Amino acid sequence: MDVADHPIPVHACWLSWLAVSTSDQAEVVRSIGLTDVRVSTWSVGVDLVDAVAHSGDDRFSTVVVTPALDGWVLVFGAWLGLPYLACTDRVTRLCEQLSARFGKAQAYFHSEQNDGEAWLIAEHGTVLRRWIAEYPESAIGEPFGIERNLLDAFGIPGKPEDLDPDDDLASSWAATWGDCWATTIAAEHSLDPTTLEPSTPSAGAVLIASIP
């Protein structure tokens, strides 16, 4: 890898990604079954993440894989987007399988267009929490960690999926999500890709790949 090629922040209008607790990038690629894998750079990869998100049906064909970042490998692409109903069950199963293999696997969706937020936290083959703002009925598990803290601060003692959608509190929460973004959850449980910087510990090269 070019020694000048360091991590940079990843942004997209609709940012979908997977976080796997390992430094073995090759094993993540193999476990997911990615094909046509080629080496790239951070700048090309980050530009592609946003370009793919705007590519219509083609957005489900390509992913970008980071090198090991402080003990995590991140995989970006709409193919991993929890709010896309054609993807939800597959991404959930994938996180279960990867967490059984690596200990922890997480999926996230963050919209810079305020279209909603989503996350899934899995450990040792079990989903601890799944939340998809657009589809609260699909939630799994109990809020915990910073999600629980932000709900409490907002005045929601239970789970957001249990709120009456016509209730003022539910409407207020949905207007800002109480600052409970996917990136907020990711920062607590793995890495927030929008805050990566050249000093983020990194080993290896960015990869571009096709889905299985």
Side-chain angles (χ1 to χ4, degrees):
M1 183 182 71
D2 185 340
V3 294
D5 192 41
H6 299 299
I8 57 176
V10 183
H11 291 277
C13 291
W14 303 282
L15 189 61
S16 304
W17 77 97
L18 188 73
V20 185
S21 179
T22 181
S23 294
D24 193 338
Q25 182 195 50
E27 186 62 17
V28 171
V29 169
R30 188 200 67 77
S31 296
I32 298 175
L34 300 178
T35 63
D36 189 25
V37 181
R38 56 269 195 205
V39 175
S40 186
T41 64
W42 274 97
S43 60
V44 170
V46 169
D47 286 347
L48 184 62
V49 168
D50 193 43
V52 166
H54 291 85
S55 299
D57 289 341
D58 288 341
R59 69 188 184 277
F60 298 109
S61 64
T62 304
V63 295
V64 175
V65 186
T66 72
L69 298 170
D70 202 15
W72 293 87
V73 172
L74 308 183
V75 186
F76 295 91
W79 186 69
L80 298 162
L82 283 168
Y84 304 118
L85 294 180
C87 302
T88 305
D89 289 344
R90 173 175 44 74
V91 174
T92 300
R93 290 193 301 270
L94 182 60
C95 285
E96 290 171 336
Q97 294 163 2
L98 291 172
S99 70
R101 168 70 178 82
F102 297 102
K104 297 179 181 180
Q106 302 157 13
Y108 296 96
F109 173 84
H110 171 63
S111 170
E112 295 188 352
Q113 309 301 311
N114 199 33
D115 293 330
E117 303 289 315
W119 52 84
L120 187 154
I121 310 293
E123 295 187 5
H124 307 293
T126 299
V127 175
L128 303 181
R129 177 63 170 161
R130 184 177 73 185
W131 167 254
I132 304 173
E134 293 177 276
Y135 305 105
E137 67 276 7
S138 71
I140 296 173
E142 297 286 336
F144 68 98
I146 195 166
E147 181 189 6
R148 179 69 271 158
N149 293 338
L150 289 171
L151 285 165
D152 289 343
F154 206 82
I156 299 174
K159 297 185 287 186
E161 57 265 35
D162 293 337
L163 292 174
D164 182 337
D166 295 324
D167 183 85
D168 289 343
L169 187 59
S171 298
S172 297
W173 174 257
T176 64
W177 310 115
D179 294 329
C180 193
W181 311 99
T183 49
T184 308
I185 304 299
E188 178 181 47
H189 295 288
S190 52
L191 294 173
D192 174 0
T194 69
T195 62
L196 295 176
E197 54 188 12
S199 62
T200 302
S202 174
V206 169
L207 303 176
I208 298 171
S210 299
I211 65 168

